[in-house]
């Protein structure tokens, strides 16, 4: 009885230890993000508040994969906006070619409580366009050049930039330089050297930090892959802290889908691999335990013992 108790206790302790190790191990959790979902960390669907792929304010050299289409929303209100202002920013993004992405967006700024559907009942409404082209140097390095608010009815926050990103299983770091183009706004953000990092945590959550030349921000990003087996991906983004006093918590989300191109081909290859593994398991099942049919002789007790 004592032996059975000790064995049971050891088994329970081992199971609890393995469970705790899985929950707290960033290695296993990062592998589930980059490996099990077949994700190339130099391809991204996380969007900045300006609509391009990146961190929070800072763009990165990560790009939407060729063939992916994404829609995003955020409520980031710029520091130079009126105190009672509320923002609604919408973007449609696409990986139109290998290494090339574009965004078209609508930025609206109105007073809190105003009717955003009523024409004229807003401080500002602006159509914007972003572009970015990147060159993958190795499996972990990519450099890119891009433009923010390069086209639209009114150019208010135009920026041109060059950026380089290094991405590994656990961390992606970015450094770049931006210059202010034609712009009617007075913002000094993203004008000069900028930098940032994304740390991949358990459960497909990332910790974000960036510096745009003026302010430093911290936040997080969550990902939900392959929703209901449809290959849809949903991202949630939040800016939780900023050294810019006028900025409060801001939220955003992005929904992306691989319509074609390289993204669709990669998903098809992953599906074919999974199907092949499934067929192989069916054709060669693991041997199951079957009790022996041989009957063992009965041992009779010795009456003299």
């Amino acid at each position: 009885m004592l032996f059975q108790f000790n064995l049971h206790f050891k088994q329970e302790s081992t199971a609890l230890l393995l469970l705790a190790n899985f929950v707290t191990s960033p290695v296993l959790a990062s592998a589930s993000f980059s490996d099990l979902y077949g994700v190339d960390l130099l391809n991204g669907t996380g969007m900045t508040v300006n609509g391009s792929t990146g961190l929070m304010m800072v763009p990165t050299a990560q790009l939407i994969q060729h063939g992916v289409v994404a829609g995003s929303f955020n409520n980031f209100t710029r520091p130079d906006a009126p105190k009672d202002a509320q923002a609604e920013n919408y973007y449609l993004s696409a990986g139109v070619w290998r290494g090339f992405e574009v965004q078209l967006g609508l930025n609206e700024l109105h007073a809190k409580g105003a009717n955003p559907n009523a024409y004229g009942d807003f401080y500002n409404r602006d159509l914007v366009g972003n572009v970015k082209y990147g060159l993958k140097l190795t499996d972990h390095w990519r450099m890119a050049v891009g433009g923010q608010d390069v086209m639209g009815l009114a150019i208010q926050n135009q920026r041109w930039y060059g950026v380089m990103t290094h991405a590994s299983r656990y961390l992606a770091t970015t450094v770049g330089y931006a210059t202010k183009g034609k712009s009617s706004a007075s913002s000094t953000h993203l004008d000069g050297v900028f930098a940032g990092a994304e740390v991949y945590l358990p459960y497909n959550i990332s910790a974000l930090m960036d510096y745009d030349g003026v302010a430093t921000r911290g936040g997080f990003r969550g990902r939900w892959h392959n929703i209901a087996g449809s290959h849809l991906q949903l991202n949630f983004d939040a800016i939780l802290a900023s050294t810019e006093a006028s900025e409060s918590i801001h939220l955003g989300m992005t929904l992306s889908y691989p319509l074609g191109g390289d993204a669709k081909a990669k998903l098809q290859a992953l599906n074919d691999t999974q199907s092949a593994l499934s067929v192989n398991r069916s054709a060669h099942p693991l041997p199951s335990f079957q009790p022996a049919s041989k009957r063992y002789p009965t041992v009779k007790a010795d009456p003299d013992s």
Side-chain angles (χ1 to χ4, degrees):
M1 175 68 79
L2 182 60
F3 172 75
Q4 291 179 342
F5 174 79
N6 288 337
L7 179 61
H8 179 71
F9 178 77
K10 289 180 179 179
Q11 289 174 339
E12 291 288 332
S13 300
T14 302
L16 289 173
L17 182 61
L18 289 173
L19 179 62
N21 187 58
F22 174 80
V23 171
T24 58
S25 172
V27 175
L28 289 175
S30 319
S32 69
F33 171 57
S34 61
D35 296 336
L36 300 186
Y37 290 108
V39 175
D40 182 347
L41 296 178
L42 286 175
N43 294 326
T45 52
M47 304 296 177
T48 69
V49 297
N50 300 308
S52 61
T53 44
L55 299 170
M56 290 167 287
M57 176 72 74
V58 166
T60 65
Q62 294 161 317
L63 291 161
I64 298 176
Q65 193 173 7
H66 174 216
V68 171
V69 175
S72 58
F73 165 82
N74 70 75
N75 64 349
F76 179 79
T77 305
R78 301 191 180 280
D80 55 355
K83 291 184 178 181
D84 66 338
Q86 183 175 352
E88 294 181 12
N89 306 309
Y90 301 90
Y91 295 94
L92 178 63
S93 308
V96 296
W97 195 248
R98 294 171 184 168
F100 185 60
E101 70 175 36
V102 297
Q103 286 90 22
L104 297 176
L106 174 64
N107 297 160
E108 180 171 303
L109 195 66
H110 54 260
K112 294 179 181 178
N115 180 8
N117 299 317
Y119 184 79
D121 195 8
F122 53 84
Y123 290 122
N124 182 52
R125 182 175 286 173
D126 184 27
L127 292 174
V128 299
N130 304 330
V131 294
K132 188 197 296 187
Y133 176 76
L135 182 62
K136 195 171 183 179
L137 304 177
T138 69
D139 288 341
H140 299 284
W141 288 94
R142 176 182 275 152
M143 62 181 300
V145 292
Q148 168 191 307
D149 198 7
V150 297
M151 51 188 171
L153 296 179
I155 306 300
Q156 299 187 14
N157 290 284
Q158 188 176 89
R159 301 291 189 274
W160 299 98
Y161 60 85
V163 61
M164 182 168 285
T165 295
H166 176 269
S168 67
R169 182 177 292 182
Y170 315 108
L171 174 69
T173 54
T174 291
V175 64
Y177 185 86
T179 182
K180 195 171 183 178
K182 178 183 177 183
S183 180
S184 60
S186 59
S187 173
T188 57
H189 293 271
L190 206 61
D191 187 12
V193 176
F194 61 84
E198 180 172 5
V199 181
Y200 302 109
L201 301 174
Y203 307 112
N204 293 331
I205 295 175
S206 298
L208 307 177
M209 179 174 288
D210 68 19
Y211 169 72
D212 65 7
V214 176
T216 301
R217 297 173 184 83
F220 79 93
R221 173 172 295 149
R223 298 174 178 84
W224 186 9
H225 295 273
N226 199 22
I227 300 173
S230 64
H231 299 307
L232 280 170
Q233 178 175 319
L234 181 63
N235 287 6
F236 287 100
D237 299 85
I239 299 176
L240 301 179
S242 173
T243 56
E244 183 76 35
S246 59
E247 289 182 10
S248 58
I249 293 176
H250 296 285
L251 304 175
M253 65 178 184
T254 301
L255 187 65
S256 60
Y257 182 76
L259 280 180
D262 293 344
K264 198 72 173 182
K266 185 173 183 178
L267 282 176
Q268 187 61 49
L270 286 173
N271 290 338
D272 291 345
T273 301
Q274 292 171 357
S275 298
L277 289 174
S278 178
V279 170
N280 186 57
R281 291 193 189 100
S282 300
H284 303 87
L286 293 175
S288 58
F289 173 76
Q290 297 180 355
S293 60
K294 181 179 179 180
R295 297 182 62 85
Y296 292 94
T298 303
V299 179
K300 295 183 180 180
D302 186 354
D304 297 330
S305 60

